[in-house]
Amino acid sequence: MFWTRWRLNEWGKWARGGMPAISTCSPMAFSSRGSHHSNEMPEHIAQVDRVILSAPQPERSVLICFYSKSGPMHEKARQLGLDRWQFKRVLSRGESFVENNL
């Protein structure tokens, strides 16, 4: 799971604009653009992006919120209408989904 979380963190960093010289778009736009990826998205990031896009809801929303947005977990959970414990359970399922599909 360490490697999966590292890759998710790299994806989140890219989504927040934390990787220099790579243009970004809003993380919420990922879910609306289907399988189309920017030519500027590095392949290792695009692989994670494709898996996240194929994740079921609510796992997809929790993964996007947790890894691409800053702030405390309880605020992220509240944004999605979940309590902190529900958020953590869904996040764990989402991380497992990513690990199984990378």
Side-chain angles (χ1 to χ4, degrees), residues 66-86:
F66 184 76
Y67 284 100
S68 69
K69 297 182 178 181
S70 60
M73 187 179 297
H74 71 276
E75 286 182 16
K76 294 175 185 180
R78 187 180 42 105
Q79 289 173 1
L80 296 177
L82 303 170
D83 67 36
R84 189 170 165 259
W85 303 113
Q86 290 171 315

Side-chain angles (χ1 to χ4, degrees), residues 23-44:
S23 66
T24 62
C25 65
S26 164
M28 296 315 289
F30 295 160
S31 61
S32 66
R33 72 168 188 252
S35 62
H36 172 72
H37 296 285
S38 166
N39 290 337
E40 296 183 51
M41 181 184 284
E43 184 54 32
H44 71 286

